[in-house]
Amino acid sequence: MAELAELDDPKIRAVNEKHGDDHGVNLGKLRALAKRLKTQQELASRLWETGDTAARLLALLICRPKAFGRDELDVMVREARTPKVHDWLVNYVVKKNPHSEELRLAWFDDPDPVVASAGWALTTERVTKKPEGLDLPGLLDVIEAEMKDAPDRLQWAMNECLGGIGIEHAEHRARAIDIGERLEVLKDYPTSPGCTSPFAPLWITEIVRRRHD
């Protein structure tokens, strides 16, 4: 904790706080510290328990993803209120855990939109890597009905799922693009030069074009 405190940079903290992340540690330095510590599940648990954002990010880098129980991960996702901790928890830990599918189903319709966004992120993983058994038209129905008015983080996760369906499943591409065009979600999202817009119709079209080329 003392070492993390030394790494805290007020300028980085100011930038992160604009995005809802209350820490000031350069992520490259955080990853270097994790590399030195290597995998330490007990230390990861103790770091998580501090509630400190930088400590929790470090915990997610040095933990053993398969070591967590289902209920433990459910508690963790409800405690992970800052975007970066939530994102790393889902992507670095839950996706590699044997309970991921069970949690996906449990979280998908959770009344807490941040928890529900985790369910949608896991669903997008299924859409792109293991779509067997998913009801893709049904997912598009839900996105069409609910994405426009969903809270920010849930809306973002739904939009990623829409993009994933459009990119990976040609038979649903036209409908995915049509939904994106009608809802106009993230249409005006600021995009850096050289980056692809998260606006689904542009995103889908560009990634498909690149793959075709």
Side-chain angles (χ1 to χ4, degrees):
M1 292 303 292
E3 195 164 344
L4 286 172
E6 283 181 18
L7 290 174
D8 194 277
D9 182 330
K11 290 180 182 176
I12 293 175
R13 181 176 284 275
V15 171
N16 285 339
E17 284 178 347
K18 290 179 183 176
H19 304 289
D21 287 310
D22 56 345
H23 78 93
V25 179
N26 175 284
L27 295 181
K29 291 180 179 178
L30 193 76
R31 289 181 188 280
L33 178 56
K35 194 172 180 181
R36 196 184 82 218
L37 290 169
K38 298 182 178 154
T39 303
Q40 294 192 50
Q41 182 66 15
E42 186 182 345
L43 176 58
S45 297
R46 290 175 65 192
L47 286 167
W48 182 270
E49 286 166 7
T50 67
D52 177 80
T53 294
R56 285 187 162 181
L57 290 172
L58 181 60
L60 295 170
L61 293 174
I62 67 168
C63 73
R64 192 175 293 109
K66 293 178 180 176
F68 294 100
R70 179 209 179 281
D71 293 345
E72 199 174 1
L73 288 173
D74 185 67
V75 170
M76 289 170 74
V77 87
R78 294 174 196 282
E79 291 177 346
R81 305 315 296 177
T82 62
K84 186 65 74 178
V85 171
H86 175 91
D87 184 50
W88 282 19
L89 174 61
V90 173
N91 286 296
Y92 296 174
V93 179
V94 181
K95 285 181 180 179
K96 298 174 183 176
N97 185 275
H99 302 288
S100 62
E101 178 62 12
E102 193 182 341
L103 289 167
R104 180 186 79 81
L105 295 168
W107 291 342
F108 189 80
D109 291 318
D110 197 277
D112 182 331
V114 176
V115 175
S117 75
W120 277 89
L122 294 172
T123 299
T124 302
E125 176 92 343
R126 283 277 316 270
V127 164
T128 57
K129 293 183 179 176
K130 194 181 173 186
E132 298 78 21
L134 284 181
D135 176 10
L136 297 179
L139 284 173
L140 290 173
D141 289 344
V142 176
I143 291 167
E144 189 170 16
E146 300 178 15
M147 182 170 76
K148 181 81 171 175
D149 299 316
D152 287 353
R153 280 156 74 181
L154 179 55
Q155 184 186 70
W156 186 274
M158 285 182 163
N159 186 69
E160 286 195 326
C161 192
L162 177 64
I165 292 172
I167 290 164
E168 302 294 340
H169 303 278
E171 68 276 22
H172 300 295
R173 188 169 297 148
R175 186 184 174 199
I177 290 172
D178 178 63
I179 290 170
E181 286 175 343
R182 281 186 290 104
L183 299 186
E184 298 188 335
V185 167
L186 301 175
K187 186 175 182 179
D188 300 320
Y189 192 84
T191 307
S192 303
C195 294
T196 305
S197 169
F199 178 49
L202 294 178
W203 179 28
I204 293 166
T205 304
E206 174 60 16
I207 300 302
V208 171
R209 182 193 67 77
R210 286 185 204 172
R211 289 185 180 181
H212 181 72
D213 289 349

